[in-house]
Amino acid sequence: MRNVIELNGLSKFYGRKKQHRGIENVSFTVEEGEIFGFIGPNGAGKSTTIRTLLALIFPTSGSASIFGMDCIREASEIAKEVGYLPAEVFYYDGMKVIDLLRYSASFYRKDCSARIRELAASLDLDLSRKIEDLSYGNRKKVGIVQGLLHSPKLIMLDEPTGGLDPLMQQTFFGLLREENRKGATILFSSHILSEVQKICGRVAIIKEGRIIKLQKISELQGGSYKKYHVETRESGALNRELFPDEGLTDFQMRDNTIDFIFNGDVNLIIARLSQMELCDLVIEEPTLEEIFLHYYR
């Protein structure tokens, strides 16, 4: 299967002396038909990466391609088949929603009228209202319709669910899955781990401008990470020194119970626990969010 997106050592620094880091040596690929998660906290470099891919800003070094075309040199050709929803949307307040969407559709030289009505109905968006009268959530709906109205082959989403209530978020995820079933590739950037876990098959974790993990979500959760809950019969029998220094995070101790996440050989933990008199031991898979926090601590 071919790669729709390819990044090779992509870097972006700001300032005359390039002293402010945006992203550094970012490399990953997104396969055709994939829903790819791109996660990290605010300021990690997610938006910078996406804006560089879309040639909204130029890279300092490295290269990137979409559909096998150079993201900078062939940006106008790439844009014909890309739908983009930024984290924040800004529009001409005096325009009606339908006029704004018709204007957006005019760039694609195809009749998008039926698609606009279909998407607006799904999202419960009133096309006759003026932009200035819309709530933040309804403005985000306008951005969703704008990004999907031309049935793009690649959909790039930057924190897309802000302002949407939980029910509308489910509708939005349904739209994305339907677009994916039709063949669209999706890059889904978010700091909300439960969203990524729900819809994406593979994920890249970015920290301080660098990719620190690239893996299938199933492998990330099903690897050597385990969450432990331990309870002993004797209060005070537990202490931090009984456990390994490496691979252990989220260590919380209360009276005769402890909870922690461990990334390593489970036999090592069991050997330590076998020296104690236990009344309860629970070992389970951590959530994606708990794994994510492990990388950031």
Side-chain angles (χ1 to χ4, degrees), residues 9-292:
L10 199 65
S11 298
K12 174 64 180 178
F13 292 88
Y14 298 94
R16 287 186 177 181
K17 297 181 180 180
K18 297 181 172 51
Q19 70 270 37
H20 301 297
R21 185 269 306 157
I23 54 174
E24 188 171 358
N25 197 32
V26 170
S27 300
F28 63 83
T29 61
V30 179
E31 295 179 357
E32 184 176 22
E34 185 174 20
I35 303 181
F36 184 89
F38 191 38
I39 59 176
N42 294 330
K46 302 187 303 297
S47 294
T48 298
T49 303
I50 291 174
R51 290 169 184 163
T52 306
L53 281 170
L54 294 169
L56 299 176
I57 55 177
F58 287 2
T60 303
S61 61
S63 63
S65 65
I66 294 177
F67 308 129
M69 295 181 282
D70 184 271
C71 284
I72 302 302
R73 293 195 304 269
E74 301 172 275
S76 59
E77 190 66 26
I78 291 170
K80 296 176 183 178
E81 298 294 348
V82 174
Y84 170 50
L85 177 62
E88 296 185 17
V89 290
F90 300 95
Y91 298 119
Y92 298 110
D93 285 348
M95 293 184 74
K96 288 185 177 180
V97 173
I98 186 61
D99 294 330
L100 173 70
L101 294 174
R102 284 171 178 165
Y103 175 67
S104 298
S106 68
F107 290 97
Y108 299 105
R109 298 180 182 177
K110 63 170 74 172
D111 185 2
C112 302
S113 302
R115 182 64 173 150
I116 289 172
R117 291 193 299 271
E118 176 189 346
L119 290 167
S122 296
L123 295 169
D124 193 24
L125 176 64
D126 187 347
L127 296 173
S128 66
R129 296 185 66 185
K130 285 189 174 182
I131 298 294
E132 61 188 356
D133 297 328
L134 298 180
S135 65
Y136 174 59
N138 279 317
R139 288 181 185 231
K140 184 57 72 80
K141 291 179 188 179
V142 175
I144 293 170
V145 177
Q146 187 179 37
L148 300 180
L149 58 81
H150 57 300
S151 300
K153 294 179 181 177
L154 172 62
I155 302 168
M156 303 182 73
L157 308 166
D158 191 0
E159 303 286 356
T161 60
L164 300 180
D165 62 53
L167 187 59
M168 192 52 62
Q169 287 181 20
Q170 294 306 310
T171 300
F172 174 58
F173 289 140
L175 285 174
L176 293 183
R177 291 188 182 99
E178 180 60 28
E179 292 302 301
N180 183 244
R181 280 192 290 270
K182 294 176 183 176
T185 303
I186 299 173
L187 175 64
F188 190 103
S189 171
S190 179
H191 69 278
I192 303 175
L193 283 303
S194 58
E195 294 182 352
V196 174
Q197 187 172 2
K198 191 180 301 181
I199 198 169
C200 299
R202 200 161 57 99
V203 64
I205 300 175
I206 187 169
K207 177 182 180 181
E208 297 176 355
R210 288 179 172 269
I211 301 296
I212 59 172
K213 193 71 174 178
L214 179 61
Q215 200 168 13
K216 290 181 179 179
I217 285 182
S218 59
E219 293 174 354
L220 196 60
Q221 289 184 278
S224 55
Y225 288 95
K226 294 292 183 289
K227 184 165 65 171
Y228 296 78
H229 172 80
V230 182
E231 187 174 346
T232 65
R233 296 190 184 280
E234 300 178 48
S235 180
L238 296 170
N239 64 74
R240 176 65 178 84
E241 285 69 31
L242 293 170
F243 298 93
D245 292 328
E246 297 294 326
L248 191 143
T249 53
D250 284 1
F251 190 90
Q252 299 176 37
M253 183 166 55
R254 297 173 300 279
D255 298 325
N256 61 331
T257 67
I258 57 170
D259 296 275
F260 58 89
I261 291 177
F262 181 64
N263 177 25
D265 185 356
V266 66
N267 293 294
L268 181 60
I269 296 295
I270 297 301
R272 304 291 176 91
L273 294 176
S274 67
Q275 304 171 30
M276 310 170 197
E277 189 175 357
L278 305 181
C279 59
D280 193 18
L281 172 62
V282 178
I283 304 175
E284 58 186 347
E285 301 292 338
T287 65
L288 179 62
E289 186 160 4
E290 287 167 326
I291 295 172
F292 175 81

